[in-house]
Amino acid sequence: GRDTLSRAAKRGENIALLPGGIDEMSLTDGTSTDTKLVMVDRKGYARLAIENGMDIVPGFCFGEKWIHRTVQLPPVIRKFLRRFRMSGTLLKGRGPTFLGFLGVPLGFVWGEPIRVKKPYPVAPASVQAAYVDEKAKHRGDAKQHMPVDPAYVDEVHAHVEAAVRDIFDRYKERFGYSPEETLTMVAAAKKTKKGQ
């Protein structure tokens, strides 16, 4: 989780994140000419980078939508599995296996690093001194964090989205996508509250 990533960043490790997750898996459709990326409301990576002064290197994986066929389970089952952070999308590969299809043009393209700076204070020093991560407080290992300016998180996130879109548009034809293929950034599916 977030604490593990923060510790890795503090040790100077590089972190690779694929923010789409289960939501993106259910939107993957190899027959569609519109590729959907779940990014609109996935901004934790930007906040983590800002908090730790780490640059972000955007990228895009081409061809992944053709590696497997997807089978959507019935909506009631998907909703039930979602509560346990499990996917309601099954992957079908060659024959009765999960092995991906061969001959698929597959590749990952990295963009130029997006430089970020550590957060500037957004609240008076007296407020920042008292700011404590509530989850950590409940775990008994309260840590103090500097609040990150939400406007700066949005700015960094917008740069990443633009860079990913640029990568897609520049390289899609090299990986077998048609010139008409589009990339749409979408929000994650609504999470169900416990008891609903």
Side-chain angles (χ1 to χ4, degrees):
R2 182 176 172 77
D3 290 341
T4 302
L5 293 173
S6 292
R7 284 192 302 272
K10 299 269 186 269
R11 289 191 301 265
E13 296 178 26
N14 292 322
I15 299 169
L17 293 175
L18 305 173
I22 292 171
D23 294 302
E24 199 167 283
M25 186 176 176
S26 67
L27 296 173
T28 300
D29 180 1
T31 63
S32 174
T33 58
D34 183 36
T35 297
K36 291 182 173 46
L37 285 186
V38 177
M39 268 193 84
V40 170
D41 55 355
R42 300 286 169 96
K43 299 179 184 181
Y45 72 91
R47 185 177 315 294
L48 180 71
I50 295 166
E51 288 172 348
N52 293 283
M54 300 175 77
D55 295 338
I56 298 172
V57 181
F60 187 86
C61 182
F62 289 94
E64 72 167 330
K65 71 181 193 172
W66 297 313
I67 294 291
H68 297 94
R69 304 267 189 299
T70 56
V71 178
Q72 300 294 331
L73 295 175
V76 68
I77 295 173
R78 288 196 315 257
K79 186 175 181 180
F80 174 77
L81 291 174
R82 177 80 182 167
R83 292 176 149 193
F84 302 101
R85 299 181 66 161
M86 295 174 65
S87 177
T89 303
L90 301 178
L91 301 178
K92 183 185 178 319
R94 290 178 274 154
T97 72
F98 293 115
L99 295 174
F101 293 104
L102 300 174
V104 172
L106 183 65
F108 208 100
V109 177
W110 298 105
E112 291 293 320
I114 295 171
R115 307 281 180 215
V116 299
K117 55 189 174 226
K118 282 198 169 196
Y120 290 104
V122 295
S126 60
V127 173
Q128 290 177 17
Y131 182 80
V132 176
D133 181 341
E134 289 300 317
K135 288 181 184 176
K137 187 174 173 182
H138 292 293
R139 286 191 310 263
D141 63 343
K143 300 172 191 164
Q144 291 195 342
H145 297 279
M146 295 285 282
V148 176
D149 183 351
Y152 186 54
V153 172
D154 290 342
E155 179 185 329
V156 170
H157 180 71
H159 284 299
V160 173
E161 280 188 335
V164 170
R165 188 175 304 285
D166 180 61
I167 291 167
F168 181 82
D169 289 339
R170 282 196 293 148
Y171 294 94
K172 64 185 177 185
E173 292 181 61
R174 293 186 194 182
F175 290 95
Y177 291 66
S178 73
E180 295 79 29
E181 183 92 20
T182 57
L183 177 67
T184 304
M185 307 284 184
V186 299
K190 297 287 183 204
K191 295 179 182 175
T192 59
K193 294 180 182 175
K194 290 186 179 183
Q196 288 185 343

